[in-house]
Amino acid sequence: MFEIRQDGDYLRLKGRLDAAQAAGAESAFADITAGALLDMSALEYISSAGLGLLLKTHKRLMGQGAGLKLVEVNPHIADILHYSGFDRLFDVTREK
Amino acid sequence: MQISLERDINEIDRIVAATRAYFQDQQLPDSLVPTVDLATEELFVNMVRHGQAGDARIVLEMAPTEGGVAVTLIDTSSDPFDPRNVPDVDTQAPLNKREPGGLGLYLVNLLVSDIDYEFRDGTSRVTFHARTGERDV
């Protein structure tokens, strides 16, 4: 199960962003129209399908001047972001 | 452990549930779970999306090994496709050169060891090993 919802200044991601869930999350990411802070503290898992969704959204937003910032990233997701080279593309922090 | 899966990415939930139950039953280390989840999902999704259309099911097997687990996926309705032979992803490329796609099997090859692949009589069989002390995520 995957959820994305507004929580104050943050968009809070929760659950597992796997290939099955990423398909259903496409429209929620398409609704992001300006640079955004993604609270990843409750995101348990991400696969290449979820990474693709983050990349597609970030590229679209960066074309308008400001992309996604990933905050409170747990250690194993931080590793995946690193191995994917995403820590070079996104502003990634372990803390808020 | 062996389960039979439909050619449907919504089967990922069953894969995750079966993996959790197997890890608990075999008392396998939790540190291997993220790697096993990722590699199993990426290989399964690749079989679903790039295999032949049809009703043939995909079989998932897990077996304990010294210090870890061996995971096998068997597709009896496939074309030959060796997941070890995929193009590298340029992870140093700037944002304007990066495109979604291609990361799944790249990550599998990076994170797990001893990937074996066999194709015979229309059946693809891929096995990977996850062990403690390797590149856990």
Side-chain angles (χ1 to χ4, degrees):
Chain A
M1 196 66 188
F2 173 76
E3 293 176 9
I4 178 169
R5 65 177 174 84
Q6 192 75 43
D7 184 6
D9 293 335
Y10 296 88
L11 279 171
R12 185 172 166 80
L13 311 189
K14 183 178 180 183
R16 298 176 62 84
L17 194 45
D18 59 27
Q21 299 297 323
E26 282 260 8
S27 63
F29 278 87
D31 286 344
I32 304 173
T33 56
L37 296 165
L38 299 190
D39 178 343
M40 312 271 279
S41 59
L43 185 68
E44 299 165 15
Y45 170 85
I46 191 167
S47 67
S48 66
L51 294 172
L53 199 48
L54 290 181
L55 179 61
K56 181 178 168 184
T57 306
H58 188 53
K59 283 187 77 167
R60 174 173 57 80
L61 295 173
M62 286 298 283
Q64 301 164 14
L68 300 175
K69 292 185 177 179
L70 314 181
V71 302
E72 286 211 59
V73 177
N74 78 37
H76 79 256
I77 290 180
D79 285 344
I80 292 296
L81 295 173
H82 174 67
Y83 296 140
S84 304
F86 278 30
D87 53 353
R88 298 168 56 88
L89 308 176
F90 292 80
D91 186 342
V92 180
T93 62
R94 299 270 178 106
E95 298 170 350
K96 273 188 178 171
Chain B
M1 182 275 274
Q2 182 185 84
I3 59 171
S4 173
L5 303 158
E6 292 183 28
R7 308 180 77 82
D8 182 341
I9 59 170
N10 291 305
E11 289 280 61
I12 290 170
D13 285 349
R14 281 185 65 218
I15 293 173
V16 171
T19 302
R20 294 295 172 282
Y22 184 72
F23 267 61
Q24 186 168 3
D25 182 58
Q26 296 291 318
Q27 299 183 327
L28 292 166
D30 290 342
S31 62
L32 293 179
V33 168
T35 298
V36 169
D37 276 358
L38 186 80
T40 306
E41 177 188 327
E42 301 293 355
L43 291 166
F44 173 73
V45 169
N46 189 68
M47 285 177 168
V48 170
R49 291 193 170 150
H50 301 294
Q52 295 179 2
D55 295 331
R57 296 174 75 91
I58 294 169
V59 173
L60 169 66
E61 297 176 347
M62 292 190 183
T65 61
E66 187 173 343
V69 61
V71 180
T72 300
L73 285 151
I74 304 163
D75 182 0
T76 59
S77 179
S78 81
D79 296 318
F81 178 78
D82 189 337
R84 298 170 298 187
N85 297 331
V86 293
D88 274 345
V89 174
D90 182 2
T91 58
Q92 307 301 304
L95 183 62
N96 65 348
K97 301 286 187 189
R98 295 292 301 266
E99 296 294 338
L103 270 174
L105 295 180
Y106 169 80
L107 288 171
V108 172
N109 282 284
L110 195 66
L111 294 173
V112 303
S113 59
D114 299 339
I115 303 173
D116 300 315
Y117 175 76
E118 180 184 81
F119 179 78
R120 185 179 299 170
D121 300 330
T123 294
S124 280
R125 181 185 184 95
V126 61
T127 299
F128 71 84
H129 301 262
R131 298 187 184 93
T132 53
E134 294 182 336
R135 194 170 350 205
D136 297 339
V137 293

